[in-house]
Structures are given as C-alpha cells and as structure tokens.
C-alpha cells in the first residue's frame, strides 16, 4: 500500500513537471484545434498570415524581454522604445532605408543602455528604472513626431512590414533568425550561462567573479535593439508612424508571452522556445476571442487570469 502510494505520488509529481515544462505547447496545440473546429476558415493561409504578421513584433520584443527576466529584471520601456524608433525612422529615410534602420536600432541600443546603466551601476530597481524610461521616451517620441501620425510610404519599409519571402512574411523570417540567435546565445555561449547564473543568484555570481554589470548592461541593450526592430516592423506593417499609439501595451504583451512560456519572473532560467509558444498562444487566444466577438474587456480579464496561472506555475517550479 505504501509502495502504491509512493508510486502514485511520483506519477503526480512527474505529471505536474511535464505540465509545467510542456503545458504551453499542449495548450497551443489544443487551442489551435479548437479554433479550427469552431471556424474552418481559421486555417486558411490568409488568416494564418495575418496572425503571423500581428504576433511577430510582440515575439521579437519578448525575446529581448526573456533575457532581461532571466537576470531577474524587467523592462517596461520596450513599448516606448518602439514608439521612439517609429518616430525616428521616417526622419532619416531620405538617406536610404539602411541608414534610417541603423539610426532606429542605435536609438534602441542607447535607450536600453540607459536602463541597463541605472540597473547595473546605480542599482535602481529594474521596474523603477524602466518605468521612468517608459514615460520619458514616450514623451520624447511625441515631441519628435509632433504627437500625430505621419504616413510612411517608403517601398522598402512596406516590403519589410507586409512583403513575403518564399511565401512567408519577411517579418516572420526576421523573427525566426532572432529566435535562433537568442536560443544559441542562451544555450551555447558563456554569456548565456553567465546570464542564467546572475538571475539565479546575483550575489553568488559577483563572488564568483562573473561580470555582472556588463551582462546586465548587455541584456538591456539587446532588449532595446529588439524593441526598436519591432518598431520598424510596425511602421512597415501600418505604413505610418504614430508615437502616441504604436507600441502601446507591448511591454505587457511581451512579459505575458515570456511568463506563459515558462521563464520565471524570479530569473535563473530562460526558455526561448517557450517564449515563442507563449506569444503564439496569446495571439491565438486573442484571435479566437475576436472572431467570436468577445468584448476586449473580457479578453483582458482572460489574459490576466492566464498570467496569474502562469506565475503560479512558475513559483511552483521554483519551490520544487
């Protein structure tokens, strides 16, 4: 009897571990099947392409956010960085798309460096440092663009936002490259191991001689660059630059994707593929609710409940 009870406990423990490690993938697959069952047109290429275009900027931002959260940090400034990059990009299109892209990415890197410096050197709490940046950068973007939307008609920008390569949106290819690079950095490089070690125990990492400040600076810079890249994508997708609306709530969407994907807010672990699955799952939930005319307020409630469940699961994982 004792043996059976022990075995049953082990089975439950294993089942819970499998659910925590692979639950997001199972939920994604299950919801996709449900979406197709409820609406056969959901699987049409035009709809799948539209879903990919909508989720790609969030995914790109979430990849950078996963690195920041892996160090036990958080970056609330990414939405404002998106707006700032979107405001800067059109100003330099006269010098060519390449030059304007570089300027936008540099703006993102500098914004990330500011947040990283406050966290790494001044030791401001990440939520405070990036919250102040979020407010300031959004204001700066509005000043640059005159608080109004401006059309962007550059053909290269449009191709980036809505064009296809081998039948797949260009933005999706970029997201795939970013995902692969992020996964390789986390899993195969010394920097990735240092990042995880710092998130797991920052004081121990310092005592072990790890370059804590340099790693923290780097992850916030990467987060800023990826947010700026997402801003360029959104300009291409919408063919306009409106800093008062572009990038709004992207920081929350990115955090949600990361947490739902299994990266704990307490740091010490980065699940890149989980972040991808989390972003796709959130997009799928939004698409299903919209197709059934569920009011946005109820969508937000459902998303909040999902975040709470994901955080609870992450805490359970951390206490095992």
């Amino acid at each position: 009897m004792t043996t059976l009870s022990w075995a049953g406990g082990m089975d439950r423990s294993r089942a819970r571990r499998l659910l925590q490690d692979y639950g997001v993938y199972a939920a994604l697959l299950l919801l996709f099947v449900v979406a197709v069952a409820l609406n056969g047109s959901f699987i049409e290429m035009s709809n799948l392409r539209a879903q990919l275009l909508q989720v790609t900027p969030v995914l790109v931002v979430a990849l950078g956010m996963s690195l920041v959260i892996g160090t036990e940090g958080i970056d609330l400034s990414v939405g404002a960085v998106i707006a700032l990059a979107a405001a800067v990009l059109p100003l330099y299109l006269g010098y060519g798309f390449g030059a304007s892209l570089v300027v936008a990415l540099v703006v993102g890197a500098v914004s990330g460096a500011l947040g990283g410096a406050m966290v790494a050197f001044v030791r401001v709490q990440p939520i405070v440092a990036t919250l102040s940046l979020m407010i300031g950068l959004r204001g700066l973007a509005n000043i640059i663009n005159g608080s109004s939307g401006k059309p962007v008609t550059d053909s290269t920008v449009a191709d980036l936002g809505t064009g296809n390569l081998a039948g797949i949106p260009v933005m999706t290819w970029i997201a795939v490259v970013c995902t692969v690079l992020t996964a390789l950095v986390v899993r195969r490089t010394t920097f990735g191991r240092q990042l995880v070690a710092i998130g797991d125990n920052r004081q121990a990492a310092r005592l072990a001689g790890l370059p804590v400040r340099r790693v923290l600076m780097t992850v916030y810079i990467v987060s800023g660059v990826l947010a700026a890249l997402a801003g360029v994508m959104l300009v291409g997708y919408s063919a306009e630059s409106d800093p008062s609306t572009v990038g709004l709530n992207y920081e929350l969407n990115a955090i949600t994707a990361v947490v739902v994907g299994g990266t704990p807010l307490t740091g010490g672990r980065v699940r890149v593929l989980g972040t991808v699955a989390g972003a796709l799952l959130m997009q799928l939930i939004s698409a299903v609710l919209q197709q059934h005319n569920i009011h946005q307020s109820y969508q937000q409630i459902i998303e909040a409940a999902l975040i709470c469940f994901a955080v609870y699961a992450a805490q359970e994982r951390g206490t095992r």
Side-chain angles (χ1 to χ4, degrees):
M1 189 69 180
T2 303
T3 303
L4 289 174
S5 177
W6 177 82
M10 286 298 292
D11 288 340
R12 286 195 296 273
S13 176
R14 184 182 180 189
R16 186 176 61 181
R17 188 178 302 124
L18 288 173
L19 177 64
Q20 290 170 340
D21 288 342
Y22 302 104
V24 64
Y25 306 108
L28 180 61
L29 178 61
L30 177 62
L31 187 58
F32 183 78
V33 172
V34 171
V36 174
L38 293 175
N39 182 2
S41 63
F42 190 87
I43 202 171
E44 291 179 357
M45 288 304 298
S46 59
N47 180 63
L48 294 178
R49 183 177 184 277
Q51 302 305 324
L52 283 176
L53 288 174
Q54 291 181 37
V55 75
T56 297
V58 175
L59 171 57
V60 170
V61 176
L63 290 172
M65 186 70 75
S66 68
L67 298 182
V68 173
I69 291 178
T71 64
E72 202 181 4
I74 201 161
D75 190 352
L76 297 180
S77 69
V78 289
V81 174
I82 289 173
L84 187 57
V88 167
L89 182 75
L91 299 180
Y92 294 91
L93 282 175
Y95 298 96
F97 172 72
S100 59
L101 174 64
V102 169
V103 171
L105 296 183
V106 168
V107 166
V110 172
S111 302
L114 288 174
M118 283 192 280
V119 173
F121 292 95
V122 188
R123 297 195 179 185
V124 179
Q125 287 294 322
I127 191 170
V128 177
T130 56
L131 178 63
S132 62
L133 273 178
M134 179 181 77
I135 298 170
L137 295 179
R138 178 73 67 176
L140 180 59
N142 281 317
I143 291 173
I144 291 174
N145 227 24
S147 299
S148 61
K150 294 181 179 179
V152 179
T153 57
D154 185 87
S155 59
T156 307
V157 178
D159 288 341
L160 174 67
T162 60
N164 288 333
L165 181 62
I168 297 175
V170 174
M171 290 201 305
T172 302
W173 283 113
I174 296 173
V176 169
V177 171
C178 291
T179 301
V180 172
L181 290 177
T182 305
L184 288 175
V185 166
V186 172
R187 290 179 173 272
R188 303 292 184 184
T189 68
T190 301
F191 174 80
R193 290 189 286 274
Q194 291 173 340
L195 180 161
V196 172
I198 290 169
D200 187 45
N201 190 325
R202 188 170 301 182
Q203 184 61 24
R206 282 198 179 94
L207 294 174
L210 298 186
V212 175
R213 289 176 174 173
R214 188 174 70 195
V215 171
L216 290 177
M217 282 287 293
T218 303
V219 295
Y220 281 92
I221 290 173
V222 170
S223 178
V225 170
L226 290 176
L229 178 60
V232 175
M233 289 177 172
L234 287 170
V235 172
Y237 179 67
S238 62
E240 71 169 0
S241 169
D242 187 353
S244 63
T245 59
V246 68
L248 280 179
N249 296 328
Y250 265 65
E251 59 279 348
L252 301 180
N253 294 333
I255 293 169
T256 303
V258 173
V259 174
V260 169
T263 298
L265 287 171
T266 51
R269 185 176 184 181
V270 179
R271 298 189 65 193
V272 177
L273 291 182
T275 297
V276 175
L280 292 174
L281 179 62
M282 299 306 296
Q283 176 62 32
L284 195 53
I285 291 172
S286 177
V288 170
L289 295 177
Q290 286 179 8
Q291 288 189 352
H292 291 82
N293 298 319
I294 304 298
H295 194 275
Q296 187 177 5
S297 301
Y298 292 100
Q299 293 183 36
Q300 293 171 335
I301 293 172
I302 293 172
E303 289 176 2
L306 187 59
I307 293 171
C308 290
F309 176 77
V311 171
Y312 171 76
Q315 288 176 336
E316 286 291 301
R317 184 186 296 112
T319 57
R320 282 204 311 266

